[in-house]
Amino acid sequence: RETPLWLDLKGSTRRLAEAVLGELPPERRVTMSSRSWPVLAPARRHGVRTMRSVGSRWQLWAVLCIRRWTRTDGIVIDQRFLSGSRLDQLAGRSSWLIAWGVRDLERASELITAGVDGLILDDLDLINDVRNRHAGAASERSGAWSAE
């Protein structure tokens, strides 16, 4: 079974996604995210799963308020913007909601219980703690994620 590949693109030119796709085998399934949303357009045209990253108040406003919303498979959002009511608002805007910037088990548990689809964590001990506390929820969500 192939390991999922997720690339967070750190640039502002649309050529970035094209260049990355050119380096990957055509059959390779990949997810791409970026805080510079126009960078994702070429990836979407190639059928790549795309995630809009939200890390500023302006981006949050855009996600919540712009009516003409182009297709995106998910939203990757700084956890500081997530509250119960905000989660409800974001639920209808994309298929997946992933939180980043989580630094402790209590916040991770709060977000999982509230219904986020995933967390981006960079602390190995925290990853193990979350996995141990939420093993059932994680296996259900990861199965759905990798099955697409």
Side-chain angles (χ1 to χ4, degrees):
R1 182 172 141 163
E2 186 177 66
T3 301
L5 177 62
W6 182 336
L7 302 170
D8 187 42
L9 303 179
K10 308 288 188 189
S12 58
T13 175
R14 291 177 184 216
R15 290 186 303 253
L16 180 58
E18 292 283 356
V20 169
L21 288 171
E23 295 297 320
L24 296 172
E27 69 279 358
R28 181 66 163 108
R29 292 183 47 208
V30 64
T31 298
M32 289 186 182
S33 59
S34 180
R35 285 191 59 193
S36 179
W37 301 343
V39 169
L40 299 172
R44 279 194 300 276
R45 284 194 298 273
H46 287 281
V48 171
R49 179 174 24 207
T50 59
M51 310 284 280
R52 287 189 176 149
S53 188
V54 175
S56 70
R57 292 187 192 285
W58 180 89
Q59 288 172 324
L60 178 61
W61 173 85
V63 164
L64 292 174
C65 297
I66 293 177
R67 298 212 187 277
R68 199 178 121 240
W69 183 258
T70 58
R71 184 184 80 77
T72 185
D73 296 309
I75 296 170
V76 187
I77 188 167
D78 189 326
Q79 60 84 30
R80 65 190 164 102
F81 294 123
L82 294 176
S83 63
S85 62
R86 184 80 33 79
L87 284 165
D88 292 339
Q89 290 175 307
L90 291 167
R93 303 300 274 173
S94 71
S95 301
W96 295 94
L97 184 62
I98 311 293
W100 54 272
V102 178
R103 301 278 184 248
D104 60 73
L105 181 59
E106 288 68 35
R107 180 63 171 153
S109 295
E110 178 184 318
L111 290 169
I112 290 168
T113 301
V116 298
D117 297 299
L119 302 170
I120 296 174
L121 306 170
D122 58 6
D123 177 327
L124 294 177
D125 291 331
L126 179 57
I127 291 169
N128 283 325
D129 292 345
V130 169
R131 184 174 41 197
N132 290 337
R133 184 179 286 184
H134 298 280
S139 64
E140 290 171 22
R141 286 188 175 92
S142 65
W145 176 262
S146 61
E148 284 190 10

PDB file of all heavy atoms in Angstrom, residues 6 51 73-75 82 87 90-91 94-99 111-120 137-138 140-145:
ATOM      1  N   TRP A   6       1.622  14.314   1.107  1.00  0.00           N
ATOM      2  CA  TRP A   6       1.000  15.625   1.227  1.00  0.00           C
ATOM      3  C   TRP A   6       2.107  16.663   1.166  1.00  0.00           C
ATOM      4  O   TRP A   6       3.040  16.629   1.964  1.00  0.00           O
ATOM      5  CB  TRP A   6       0.249  15.725   2.543  1.00  0.00           C
ATOM      6  CG  TRP A   6      -0.471  17.011   2.783  1.00  0.00           C
ATOM      7  CD1 TRP A   6      -0.219  18.242   2.236  1.00  0.00           C
ATOM      8  CD2 TRP A   6      -1.576  17.198   3.653  1.00  0.00           C
ATOM      9  NE1 TRP A   6      -1.095  19.170   2.709  1.00  0.00           N
ATOM     10  CE2 TRP A   6      -1.945  18.562   3.589  1.00  0.00           C
ATOM     11  CE3 TRP A   6      -2.286  16.361   4.489  1.00  0.00           C
ATOM     12  CZ2 TRP A   6      -2.995  19.089   4.319  1.00  0.00           C
ATOM     13  CZ3 TRP A   6      -3.329  16.896   5.212  1.00  0.00           C
ATOM     14  CH2 TRP A   6      -3.689  18.242   5.129  1.00  0.00           C
ATOM     15  N   MET A  51      -5.924  21.498  -0.680  1.00  0.00           N
ATOM     16  CA  MET A  51      -6.341  21.981   0.629  1.00  0.00           C
ATOM     17  C   MET A  51      -5.915  23.449   0.750  1.00  0.00           C
ATOM     18  O   MET A  51      -4.725  23.747   0.608  1.00  0.00           O
ATOM     19  CB  MET A  51      -5.664  21.167   1.732  1.00  0.00           C
ATOM     20  CG  MET A  51      -5.774  19.661   1.579  1.00  0.00           C
ATOM     21  SD  MET A  51      -7.378  19.020   2.007  1.00  0.00           S
ATOM     22  CE  MET A  51      -7.237  18.977   3.774  1.00  0.00           C
ATOM     23  N   ASP A  73     -10.796  20.587  -1.924  1.00  0.00           N
ATOM     24  CA  ASP A  73     -11.125  19.355  -1.227  1.00  0.00           C
ATOM     25  C   ASP A  73     -11.089  19.526   0.283  1.00  0.00           C
ATOM     26  O   ASP A  73     -11.657  18.724   0.999  1.00  0.00           O
ATOM     27  CB  ASP A  73     -10.164  18.244  -1.642  1.00  0.00           C
ATOM     28  CG  ASP A  73     -10.316  17.918  -3.120  1.00  0.00           C
ATOM     29  OD1 ASP A  73     -11.455  17.700  -3.552  1.00  0.00           O
ATOM     30  OD2 ASP A  73      -9.301  17.895  -3.826  1.00  0.00           O
ATOM     31  N   GLY A  74     -10.394  20.564   0.739  1.00  0.00           N
ATOM     32  CA  GLY A  74     -10.311  20.731   2.175  1.00  0.00           C
ATOM     33  C   GLY A  74      -9.729  22.060   2.587  1.00  0.00           C
ATOM     34  O   GLY A  74      -9.235  22.830   1.764  1.00  0.00           O
ATOM     35  N   ILE A  75      -9.823  22.284   3.874  1.00  0.00           N
ATOM     36  CA  ILE A  75      -9.272  23.483   4.495  1.00  0.00           C
ATOM     37  C   ILE A  75      -8.313  23.028   5.588  1.00  0.00           C
ATOM     38  O   ILE A  75      -8.646  22.161   6.399  1.00  0.00           O
ATOM     39  CB  ILE A  75     -10.384  24.360   5.099  1.00  0.00           C
ATOM     40  CG1 ILE A  75     -11.303  24.868   3.991  1.00  0.00           C
ATOM     41  CG2 ILE A  75      -9.792  25.515   5.900  1.00  0.00           C
ATOM     42  CD1 ILE A  75     -12.559  25.547   4.502  1.00  0.00           C
ATOM     43  N   LEU A  82     -10.253  28.191  15.394  1.00  0.00           N
ATOM     44  CA  LEU A  82     -11.327  27.204  15.522  1.00  0.00           C
ATOM     45  C   LEU A  82     -12.004  27.255  16.878  1.00  0.00           C
ATOM     46  O   LEU A  82     -11.376  27.066  17.916  1.00  0.00           O
ATOM     47  CB  LEU A  82     -10.780  25.801  15.263  1.00  0.00           C
ATOM     48  CG  LEU A  82     -10.304  25.545  13.848  1.00  0.00           C
ATOM     49  CD1 LEU A  82      -9.687  24.165  13.733  1.00  0.00           C
ATOM     50  CD2 LEU A  82     -11.444  25.712  12.857  1.00  0.00           C
ATOM     51  N   LEU A  87     -16.400  26.003  13.688  1.00  0.00           N
ATOM     52  CA  LEU A  87     -16.376  24.677  13.063  1.00  0.00           C
ATOM     53  C   LEU A  87     -17.663  24.424  12.293  1.00  0.00           C
ATOM     54  O   LEU A  87     -17.637  23.888  11.191  1.00  0.00           O
ATOM     55  CB  LEU A  87     -16.161  23.591  14.115  1.00  0.00           C
ATOM     56  CG  LEU A  87     -14.740  23.455  14.636  1.00  0.00           C
ATOM     57  CD1 LEU A  87     -14.711  22.632  15.914  1.00  0.00           C
ATOM     58  CD2 LEU A  87     -13.842  22.837  13.590  1.00  0.00           C
ATOM     59  N   LEU A  90     -17.566  26.346   9.026  1.00  0.00           N
ATOM     60  CA  LEU A  90     -16.625  25.801   8.052  1.00  0.00           C
ATOM     61  C   LEU A  90     -17.047  24.440   7.498  1.00  0.00           C
ATOM     62  O   LEU A  90     -16.599  24.054   6.421  1.00  0.00           O
ATOM     63  CB  LEU A  90     -15.232  25.684   8.683  1.00  0.00           C
ATOM     64  CG  LEU A  90     -14.535  27.002   8.980  1.00  0.00           C
ATOM     65  CD1 LEU A  90     -13.330  26.774   9.882  1.00  0.00           C
ATOM     66  CD2 LEU A  90     -14.124  27.694   7.693  1.00  0.00           C
ATOM     67  N   ALA A  91     -17.909  23.753   8.222  1.00  0.00           N
ATOM     68  CA  ALA A  91     -18.280  22.390   7.837  1.00  0.00           C
ATOM     69  C   ALA A  91     -18.827  22.305   6.415  1.00  0.00           C
ATOM     70  O   ALA A  91     -18.533  21.356   5.691  1.00  0.00           O
ATOM     71  CB  ALA A  91     -19.288  21.821   8.832  1.00  0.00           C
ATOM     72  N   SER A  94     -16.059  22.722   2.806  1.00  0.00           N
ATOM     73  CA  SER A  94     -15.105  21.783   2.219  1.00  0.00           C
ATOM     74  C   SER A  94     -15.375  20.378   2.729  1.00  0.00           C
ATOM     75  O   SER A  94     -16.108  20.179   3.687  1.00  0.00           O
ATOM     76  CB  SER A  94     -13.669  22.196   2.556  1.00  0.00           C
ATOM     77  OG  SER A  94     -13.410  21.962   3.917  1.00  0.00           O
ATOM     78  N   SER A  95     -14.732  19.424   2.079  1.00  0.00           N
ATOM     79  CA  SER A  95     -14.896  18.020   2.472  1.00  0.00           C
ATOM     80  C   SER A  95     -14.091  17.666   3.716  1.00  0.00           C
ATOM     81  O   SER A  95     -14.477  16.785   4.469  1.00  0.00           O
ATOM     82  CB  SER A  95     -14.446  17.109   1.332  1.00  0.00           C
ATOM     83  OG  SER A  95     -15.202  17.367   0.181  1.00  0.00           O
ATOM     84  N   TRP A  96     -12.939  18.323   3.886  1.00  0.00           N
ATOM     85  CA  TRP A  96     -12.037  18.006   4.990  1.00  0.00           C
ATOM     86  C   TRP A  96     -11.662  19.264   5.739  1.00  0.00           C
ATOM     87  O   TRP A  96     -11.442  20.308   5.139  1.00  0.00           O
ATOM     88  CB  TRP A  96     -10.752  17.359   4.464  1.00  0.00           C
ATOM     89  CG  TRP A  96     -10.996  16.024   3.835  1.00  0.00           C
ATOM     90  CD1 TRP A  96     -11.213  15.766   2.519  1.00  0.00           C
ATOM     91  CD2 TRP A  96     -11.079  14.772   4.499  1.00  0.00           C
ATOM     92  NE1 TRP A  96     -11.416  14.435   2.319  1.00  0.00           N
ATOM     93  CE2 TRP A  96     -11.334  13.800   3.521  1.00  0.00           C
ATOM     94  CE3 TRP A  96     -10.953  14.384   5.828  1.00  0.00           C
ATOM     95  CZ2 TRP A  96     -11.470  12.447   3.834  1.00  0.00           C
ATOM     96  CZ3 TRP A  96     -11.080  13.037   6.123  1.00  0.00           C
ATOM     97  CH2 TRP A  96     -11.342  12.094   5.145  1.00  0.00           C
ATOM     98  N   LEU A  97     -11.547  19.156   7.058  1.00  0.00           N
ATOM     99  CA  LEU A  97     -11.086  20.257   7.895  1.00  0.00           C
ATOM    100  C   LEU A  97      -9.956  19.734   8.780  1.00  0.00           C
ATOM    101  O   LEU A  97     -10.160  18.865   9.627  1.00  0.00           O
ATOM    102  CB  LEU A  97     -12.214  20.805   8.757  1.00  0.00           C
ATOM    103  CG  LEU A  97     -11.879  22.015   9.611  1.00  0.00           C
ATOM    104  CD1 LEU A  97     -11.469  23.209   8.744  1.00  0.00           C
ATOM    105  CD2 LEU A  97     -13.063  22.398  10.486  1.00  0.00           C
ATOM    106  N   ILE A  98      -8.767  20.254   8.529  1.00  0.00           N
ATOM    107  CA  ILE A  98      -7.550  19.817   9.227  1.00  0.00           C
ATOM    108  C   ILE A  98      -7.002  21.010  10.007  1.00  0.00           C
ATOM    109  O   ILE A  98      -6.907  22.113   9.466  1.00  0.00           O
ATOM    110  CB  ILE A  98      -6.476  19.328   8.229  1.00  0.00           C
ATOM    111  CG1 ILE A  98      -7.042  18.335   7.213  1.00  0.00           C
ATOM    112  CG2 ILE A  98      -5.262  18.787   8.967  1.00  0.00           C
ATOM    113  CD1 ILE A  98      -7.467  17.015   7.774  1.00  0.00           C
ATOM    114  N   ALA A  99      -6.636  20.801  11.271  1.00  0.00           N
ATOM    115  CA  ALA A  99      -6.099  21.879  12.113  1.00  0.00           C
ATOM    116  C   ALA A  99      -4.589  21.735  12.262  1.00  0.00           C
ATOM    117  O   ALA A  99      -4.079  20.632  12.410  1.00  0.00           O
ATOM    118  CB  ALA A  99      -6.750  21.845  13.489  1.00  0.00           C
ATOM    119  N   LEU A 111     -10.406  19.586  19.734  1.00  0.00           N
ATOM    120  CA  LEU A 111     -10.670  19.694  18.301  1.00  0.00           C
ATOM    121  C   LEU A 111     -11.186  18.377  17.713  1.00  0.00           C
ATOM    122  O   LEU A 111     -12.100  18.380  16.881  1.00  0.00           O
ATOM    123  CB  LEU A 111      -9.409  20.146  17.571  1.00  0.00           C
ATOM    124  CG  LEU A 111      -9.001  21.590  17.846  1.00  0.00           C
ATOM    125  CD1 LEU A 111      -7.600  21.864  17.310  1.00  0.00           C
ATOM    126  CD2 LEU A 111     -10.005  22.573  17.267  1.00  0.00           C
ATOM    127  N   ILE A 112     -10.636  17.268  18.145  1.00  0.00           N
ATOM    128  CA  ILE A 112     -11.108  15.960  17.674  1.00  0.00           C
ATOM    129  C   ILE A 112     -12.553  15.746  18.086  1.00  0.00           C
ATOM    130  O   ILE A 112     -13.400  15.342  17.283  1.00  0.00           O
ATOM    131  CB  ILE A 112     -10.201  14.828  18.198  1.00  0.00           C
ATOM    132  CG1 ILE A 112      -8.840  14.898  17.510  1.00  0.00           C
ATOM    133  CG2 ILE A 112     -10.846  13.464  17.975  1.00  0.00           C
ATOM    134  CD1 ILE A 112      -7.777  14.027  18.152  1.00  0.00           C
ATOM    135  N   THR A 113     -12.859  16.049  19.337  1.00  0.00           N
ATOM    136  CA  THR A 113     -14.224  15.905  19.836  1.00  0.00           C
ATOM    137  C   THR A 113     -15.187  16.825  19.088  1.00  0.00           C
ATOM    138  O   THR A 113     -16.329  16.457  18.810  1.00  0.00           O
ATOM    139  CB  THR A 113     -14.276  16.206  21.351  1.00  0.00           C
ATOM    140  OG1 THR A 113     -13.395  15.290  22.013  1.00  0.00           O
ATOM    141  CG2 THR A 113     -15.677  16.067  21.902  1.00  0.00           C
ATOM    142  N   ALA A 114     -14.711  18.021  18.715  1.00  0.00           N
ATOM    143  CA  ALA A 114     -15.547  18.986  17.997  1.00  0.00           C
ATOM    144  C   ALA A 114     -15.773  18.593  16.543  1.00  0.00           C
ATOM    145  O   ALA A 114     -16.671  19.124  15.893  1.00  0.00           O
ATOM    146  CB  ALA A 114     -14.921  20.373  18.075  1.00  0.00           C
ATOM    147  N   GLY A 115     -14.957  17.676  16.022  1.00  0.00           N
ATOM    148  CA  GLY A 115     -15.221  17.165  14.689  1.00  0.00           C
ATOM    149  C   GLY A 115     -14.214  17.473  13.597  1.00  0.00           C
ATOM    150  O   GLY A 115     -14.514  17.237  12.425  1.00  0.00           O
ATOM    151  N   VAL A 116     -13.020  17.987  13.932  1.00  0.00           N
ATOM    152  CA  VAL A 116     -12.032  18.159  12.858  1.00  0.00           C
ATOM    153  C   VAL A 116     -11.672  16.784  12.301  1.00  0.00           C
ATOM    154  O   VAL A 116     -11.758  15.777  12.997  1.00  0.00           O
ATOM    155  CB  VAL A 116     -10.756  18.914  13.317  1.00  0.00           C
ATOM    156  CG1 VAL A 116     -11.065  20.315  13.775  1.00  0.00           C
ATOM    157  CG2 VAL A 116      -9.992  18.138  14.354  1.00  0.00           C
ATOM    158  N   ASP A 117     -11.286  16.764  11.049  1.00  0.00           N
ATOM    159  CA  ASP A 117     -10.965  15.505  10.383  1.00  0.00           C
ATOM    160  C   ASP A 117      -9.526  15.071  10.589  1.00  0.00           C
ATOM    161  O   ASP A 117      -9.187  13.916  10.339  1.00  0.00           O
ATOM    162  CB  ASP A 117     -11.242  15.635   8.885  1.00  0.00           C
ATOM    163  CG  ASP A 117     -12.714  15.890   8.622  1.00  0.00           C
ATOM    164  OD1 ASP A 117     -13.527  15.030   8.983  1.00  0.00           O
ATOM    165  OD2 ASP A 117     -13.039  16.967   8.084  1.00  0.00           O
ATOM    166  N   GLY A 118      -8.678  15.997  11.029  1.00  0.00           N
ATOM    167  CA  GLY A 118      -7.292  15.638  11.246  1.00  0.00           C
ATOM    168  C   GLY A 118      -6.517  16.771  11.882  1.00  0.00           C
ATOM    169  O   GLY A 118      -6.994  17.907  11.960  1.00  0.00           O
ATOM    170  N   LEU A 119      -5.328  16.426  12.347  1.00  0.00           N
ATOM    171  CA  LEU A 119      -4.422  17.387  12.975  1.00  0.00           C
ATOM    172  C   LEU A 119      -3.061  17.277  12.322  1.00  0.00           C
ATOM    173  O   LEU A 119      -2.618  16.180  11.983  1.00  0.00           O
ATOM    174  CB  LEU A 119      -4.268  17.087  14.473  1.00  0.00           C
ATOM    175  CG  LEU A 119      -5.533  17.086  15.323  1.00  0.00           C
ATOM    176  CD1 LEU A 119      -5.222  16.530  16.710  1.00  0.00           C
ATOM    177  CD2 LEU A 119      -6.111  18.477  15.411  1.00  0.00           C
ATOM    178  N   ILE A 120      -2.395  18.402  12.171  1.00  0.00           N
ATOM    179  CA  ILE A 120      -1.008  18.408  11.745  1.00  0.00           C
ATOM    180  C   ILE A 120      -0.196  18.717  12.995  1.00  0.00           C
ATOM    181  O   ILE A 120      -0.342  19.787  13.589  1.00  0.00           O
ATOM    182  CB  ILE A 120      -0.754  19.455  10.644  1.00  0.00           C
ATOM    183  CG1 ILE A 120      -1.558  19.075   9.403  1.00  0.00           C
ATOM    184  CG2 ILE A 120       0.738  19.556  10.342  1.00  0.00           C
ATOM    185  CD1 ILE A 120      -1.498  20.101   8.302  1.00  0.00           C
ATOM    186  N   ALA A 137     -11.280   7.074  17.000  1.00  0.00           N
ATOM    187  CA  ALA A 137     -11.610   8.182  16.099  1.00  0.00           C
ATOM    188  C   ALA A 137     -10.563   8.329  15.014  1.00  0.00           C
ATOM    189  O   ALA A 137     -10.877   8.562  13.854  1.00  0.00           O
ATOM    190  CB  ALA A 137     -11.735   9.486  16.895  1.00  0.00           C
ATOM    191  N   ALA A 138      -9.306   8.152  15.376  1.00  0.00           N
ATOM    192  CA  ALA A 138      -8.224   8.316  14.401  1.00  0.00           C
ATOM    193  C   ALA A 138      -8.289   7.244  13.329  1.00  0.00           C
ATOM    194  O   ALA A 138      -8.117   7.526  12.155  1.00  0.00           O
ATOM    195  CB  ALA A 138      -6.872   8.291  15.111  1.00  0.00           C
ATOM    196  N   GLU A 140     -10.920   5.577  12.280  1.00  0.00           N
ATOM    197  CA  GLU A 140     -12.063   5.830  11.410  1.00  0.00           C
ATOM    198  C   GLU A 140     -11.735   6.924  10.406  1.00  0.00           C
ATOM    199  O   GLU A 140     -11.988   6.799   9.221  1.00  0.00           O
ATOM    200  CB  GLU A 140     -13.276   6.263  12.238  1.00  0.00           C
ATOM    201  CG  GLU A 140     -13.872   5.166  13.078  1.00  0.00           C
ATOM    202  CD  GLU A 140     -14.926   5.698  14.030  1.00  0.00           C
ATOM    203  OE1 GLU A 140     -15.476   6.789  13.755  1.00  0.00           O
ATOM    204  OE2 GLU A 140     -15.199   5.032  15.031  1.00  0.00           O
ATOM    205  N   ARG A 141     -11.172   8.027  10.871  1.00  0.00           N
ATOM    206  CA  ARG A 141     -10.877   9.149   9.985  1.00  0.00           C
ATOM    207  C   ARG A 141      -9.752   8.825   9.014  1.00  0.00           C
ATOM    208  O   ARG A 141      -9.824   9.155   7.855  1.00  0.00           O
ATOM    209  CB  ARG A 141     -10.513  10.386  10.808  1.00  0.00           C
ATOM    210  CG  ARG A 141     -11.714  11.002  11.459  1.00  0.00           C
ATOM    211  CD  ARG A 141     -11.348  12.318  12.108  1.00  0.00           C
ATOM    212  NE  ARG A 141     -12.522  12.962  12.642  1.00  0.00           N
ATOM    213  CZ  ARG A 141     -12.958  12.821  13.874  1.00  0.00           C
ATOM    214  NH1 ARG A 141     -12.312  12.063  14.717  1.00  0.00           N
ATOM    215  NH2 ARG A 141     -14.049  13.442  14.268  1.00  0.00           N
ATOM    216  N   SER A 142      -8.691   8.168   9.495  1.00  0.00           N
ATOM    217  CA  SER A 142      -7.567   7.894   8.591  1.00  0.00           C
ATOM    218  C   SER A 142      -7.993   6.905   7.525  1.00  0.00           C
ATOM    219  O   SER A 142      -7.533   6.980   6.393  1.00  0.00           O
ATOM    220  CB  SER A 142      -6.354   7.378   9.360  1.00  0.00           C
ATOM    221  OG  SER A 142      -6.635   6.125   9.939  1.00  0.00           O
ATOM    222  N   GLY A 143      -8.869   5.984   7.860  1.00  0.00           N
ATOM    223  CA  GLY A 143      -9.366   5.048   6.843  1.00  0.00           C
ATOM    224  C   GLY A 143     -10.116   5.777   5.753  1.00  0.00           C
ATOM    225  O   GLY A 143      -9.945   5.517   4.574  1.00  0.00           O
ATOM    226  N   ALA A 144     -10.950   6.733   6.141  1.00  0.00           N
ATOM    227  CA  ALA A 144     -11.675   7.519   5.153  1.00  0.00           C
ATOM    228  C   ALA A 144     -10.737   8.375   4.339  1.00  0.00           C
ATOM    229  O   ALA A 144     -10.901   8.535   3.130  1.00  0.00           O
ATOM    230  CB  ALA A 144     -12.733   8.385   5.849  1.00  0.00           C
ATOM    231  N   TRP A 145      -9.738   8.924   4.986  1.00  0.00           N
ATOM    232  CA  TRP A 145      -8.785   9.800   4.285  1.00  0.00           C
ATOM    233  C   TRP A 145      -8.010   9.032   3.226  1.00  0.00           C
ATOM    234  O   TRP A 145      -7.913   9.435   2.096  1.00  0.00           O
ATOM    235  CB  TRP A 145      -7.829  10.402   5.305  1.00  0.00           C
ATOM    236  CG  TRP A 145      -6.768  11.230   4.682  1.00  0.00           C
ATOM    237  CD1 TRP A 145      -5.491  10.849   4.388  1.00  0.00           C
ATOM    238  CD2 TRP A 145      -6.874  12.578   4.244  1.00  0.00           C
ATOM    239  NE1 TRP A 145      -4.804  11.876   3.800  1.00  0.00           N
ATOM    240  CE2 TRP A 145      -5.629  12.944   3.712  1.00  0.00           C
ATOM    241  CE3 TRP A 145      -7.892  13.508   4.256  1.00  0.00           C
ATOM    242  CZ2 TRP A 145      -5.381  14.210   3.194  1.00  0.00           C
ATOM    243  CZ3 TRP A 145      -7.640  14.759   3.750  1.00  0.00           C
ATOM    244  CH2 TRP A 145      -6.403  15.102   3.226  1.00  0.00           C
TER     245      TRP A 145
END
